[in-house]
Amino acid sequence: MLTLILGGARSGKSRHAETLVAAHPAPWLYVATAAAGDAEMAARIAAHQARRGEGWRTREVPLDLPAALAEPHPALVDCLTLWLANLMAAERDIPAATAALETALRARTAPTVLVSNEVGLGIVPDNALARAFRDEAGRLHQALAVRAERVLFMVAGLAMVVKG
Amino acid sequence: MLTLILGGARSGKSRHAETLVAAHPAPWLYVATAAAGDAEMAARIAAHQARRGEGWRTREVPLDLPAALAEPHPALVDCLTLWLANLMAAERDIPAATAALETALRARTAPTVLVSNEVGLGIVPDNALARAFRDEAGRLHQALAVRAERVLFMVAGLAMVVKG
Amino acid sequence: MLTLILGGARSGKSRHAETLVAAHPAPWLYVATAAAGDAEMAARIAAHQARRGEGWRTREVPLDLPAALAEPHPALVDCLTLWLANLMAAERDIPAATAALETALRARTAPTVLVSNEVGLGIVPDNALARAFRDEAGRLHQALAVRAERVLFMVAGLAMVVKG
């Protein structure tokens, strides 16, 4: 069972994802794509860890997300947009990385919940990199939504069912 | 009955809120959080007032929203994001203000419709203040959505039911 | 039958619109509002054309969208936000252009699918022109959503039904 959770900033994506994953037997994987490089991000990761209880095993994978999904436990990936940003910063091949992620997801038997930010609903950004980023994010979301059994769009902490 | 109406710019939030409030017996409170400080905002307020008919009593409360809700009439609060921006500009304690709002809402017996802008679905803003603002807005929306009997997401003047 | 398809960047609006139009007998009109002025836009138009198969007749109308809709075939308009940007750049009268579009749509008997970008769900833009643009886009969407038999909001390539 693959679930894709999309939504804006502070829309309750992570919390909802944790609830979905923790409905299955522990242990659970928390696959964090954040590189705790700056203070703001470190604070977010700490808040996430404080909120999650026992039973979670954290894996920090800024780039090699597919490998982390080989472990046979229910998994929460938080989040895909950050992974994408890391890939772009490292000048990796995005279509190849997306294909590797899809292969890793196909091989999984445990439940998987993917969290990602919807970033394409504002004014077109001035700079080309930001435009490229939201295009890549949209393409990634579409590719995963086709494969997912369930797609949710979070609004104010509430889940709207887009698929499933 | 508490209703939370979220949506983007010019998505028909205020108009829909007016219809919901005016379905109850007059008088109705129009609780405006705008400080008509600049011409653009003054024009918006004037347009709103021209559209609303008889029966509405306007209360302008850039900061003290909870006190305005003590009046025992059906009320439209327009809008929470502006109230939040005013609180941040005045360096008020946001969690305390949110708690005071929730207390005021709990004490109400007349129908209440809260309008707020969803601002978190674009590219991550460059400046830290804008990022902090959308985080606070998201937190506020989540806190109120839990309490609300009905949550609507407006698209092109049409209401999608998120809750209720 | 008038369909309005809204959504963010790379949300699958155009592809879904093509499927809806191509469900009717060919020929189909592809009414492109893009002026292929810059390389980025030219690449997008080329990608669209490569994806569409036989049976499509392309009409490039940066400004005179209503006239293009006089042809009595199923039509896809891609997209309204670009048309609006072109109108604003040419300093045309937006309410008059909107009214002319509505008149042209009323006169049509063949199915019509309008694609447009939702741009109002991010942080309020710094510059006044961007704010004016998203206000105009919101007004245009509301006017067309009233008239449309079907309004869809695209998320990750999937259509959420807002109306119809």
Side-chain angles (χ1 to χ4, degrees):
Chain A
M1 172 79 167
L2 177 64
T3 302
L4 174 63
I5 301 185
L6 296 169
R10 296 280 152 195
S11 62
K13 301 180 299 295
S14 298
R15 194 180 294 253
H16 193 70
E18 288 165 24
T19 306
L20 293 179
V21 172
H24 300 280
W28 312 297
L29 295 176
Y30 179 75
V31 185
T33 56
D38 69 277
E40 194 175 328
M41 193 52 73
R44 284 185 179 237
I45 291 176
H48 272 268
Q49 287 180 331
R51 191 171 71 216
R52 291 191 307 276
E54 294 292 306
W56 289 92
R57 297 177 187 180
T58 300
R59 304 288 180 261
E60 297 190 15
V61 287
L63 292 169
D64 201 6
L65 175 54
L69 293 171
E71 290 187 75
H73 307 298
L76 191 177
V77 176
D78 192 358
C79 64
L80 293 177
T81 20
L82 208 43
W83 177 63
L84 186 61
N86 295 339
L87 290 171
M88 289 176 75
E91 300 190 352
R92 297 290 180 91
D93 181 322
I94 307 295
T98 303
L101 174 59
E102 294 188 69
T103 300
L105 290 170
R106 237 186 330 259
R108 284 183 59 78
T109 52
T112 313
V113 179
L114 307 173
V115 166
S116 199
N117 281 65
E118 175 55 59
V119 296
L121 288 157
I123 281 284
V124 179
D126 282 334
N127 80 80
L129 184 62
R131 286 200 301 278
F133 177 72
R134 57 179 218 157
D135 281 356
E136 292 292 359
R139 272 191 277 264
L140 179 61
H141 295 165
Q142 287 192 46
L144 296 171
V146 166
R147 180 171 306 285
E149 279 84 19
R150 184 168 46 173
V151 179
L152 305 176
F153 183 68
M154 301 298 297
V155 173
L158 304 166
M160 301 181 80
V161 177
V162 184
K163 176 181 180 179
Chain B
M1 173 79 167
L2 178 64
T3 302
L4 174 63
I5 302 185
L6 296 169
R10 296 280 151 195
S11 61
K13 301 180 299 294
S14 298
R15 195 180 295 254
H16 194 69
E18 289 165 24
T19 307
L20 293 180
V21 171
H24 299 280
W28 311 297
L29 294 176
Y30 179 75
V31 185
T33 57
D38 69 277
E40 195 175 328
M41 192 53 72
R44 283 187 179 234
I45 292 176
H48 273 266
Q49 287 181 331
R51 191 171 69 217
R52 291 191 309 274
E54 293 293 307
W56 289 92
R57 298 178 187 179
T58 300
R59 304 288 179 261
E60 297 190 15
V61 286
L63 292 169
D64 201 6
L65 175 54
L69 293 171
E71 291 188 74
H73 306 300
L76 191 176
V77 176
D78 192 357
C79 67
L80 293 176
T81 20
L82 208 42
W83 177 63
L84 185 61
N86 294 339
L87 290 171
M88 289 177 75
E91 300 190 352
R92 295 289 179 91
D93 182 324
I94 307 296
T98 303
L101 174 58
E102 293 188 70
T103 301
L105 289 169
R106 239 188 327 261
R108 283 183 59 78
T109 52
T112 313
V113 180
L114 307 173
V115 167
S116 199
N117 281 65
E118 175 56 56
V119 296
L121 288 158
I123 282 286
V124 179
D126 282 332
N127 79 80
L129 183 63
R131 286 200 301 279
F133 178 71
R134 55 179 219 157
D135 280 357
E136 292 293 358
R139 272 191 278 264
L140 179 62
H141 294 165
Q142 287 193 47
L144 296 170
V146 166
R147 181 172 306 285
E149 279 84 19
R150 184 168 46 173
V151 179
L152 305 176
F153 183 69
M154 301 298 298
V155 173
L158 303 166
M160 300 182 81
V161 177
V162 184
K163 175 181 180 179
Chain C
M1 174 77 167
L2 177 64
T3 302
L4 174 63
I5 301 185
L6 296 169
R10 296 281 151 195
S11 61
K13 302 180 297 297
S14 298
R15 194 180 295 253
H16 193 70
E18 289 165 24
T19 307
L20 294 181
V21 171
H24 299 279
W28 313 296
L29 295 176
Y30 179 75
V31 184
T33 57
D38 69 278
E40 196 176 326
M41 191 54 71
R44 283 184 179 237
I45 292 176
H48 273 267
Q49 288 180 331
R51 192 171 69 216
R52 291 190 309 273
E54 293 292 306
W56 289 91
R57 298 178 187 179
T58 301
R59 303 289 179 261
E60 297 190 16
V61 286
L63 292 169
D64 201 6
L65 175 53
L69 293 171
E71 290 187 75
H73 307 299
L76 191 177
V77 176
D78 193 358
C79 68
L80 293 177
T81 20
L82 208 42
W83 177 62
L84 185 60
N86 295 339
L87 290 171
M88 289 176 75
E91 301 191 353
R92 296 290 179 92
D93 181 324
I94 307 296
T98 303
L101 174 58
E102 294 188 69
T103 300
L105 289 170
R106 236 186 332 259
R108 283 183 61 79
T109 52
T112 314
V113 179
L114 308 173
V115 166
S116 198
N117 281 66
E118 174 55 58
V119 296
L121 288 158
I123 282 285
V124 178
D126 282 333
N127 79 80
L129 183 63
R131 286 200 301 279
F133 177 72
R134 55 179 218 157
D135 280 356
E136 293 293 359
R139 272 190 278 266
L140 178 62
H141 295 165
Q142 287 193 46
L144 295 170
V146 166
R147 181 172 306 284
E149 278 85 19
R150 183 168 47 173
V151 179
L152 305 175
F153 182 70
M154 301 299 296
V155 173
L158 303 166
M160 300 181 81
V161 178
V162 185
K163 176 180 180 180

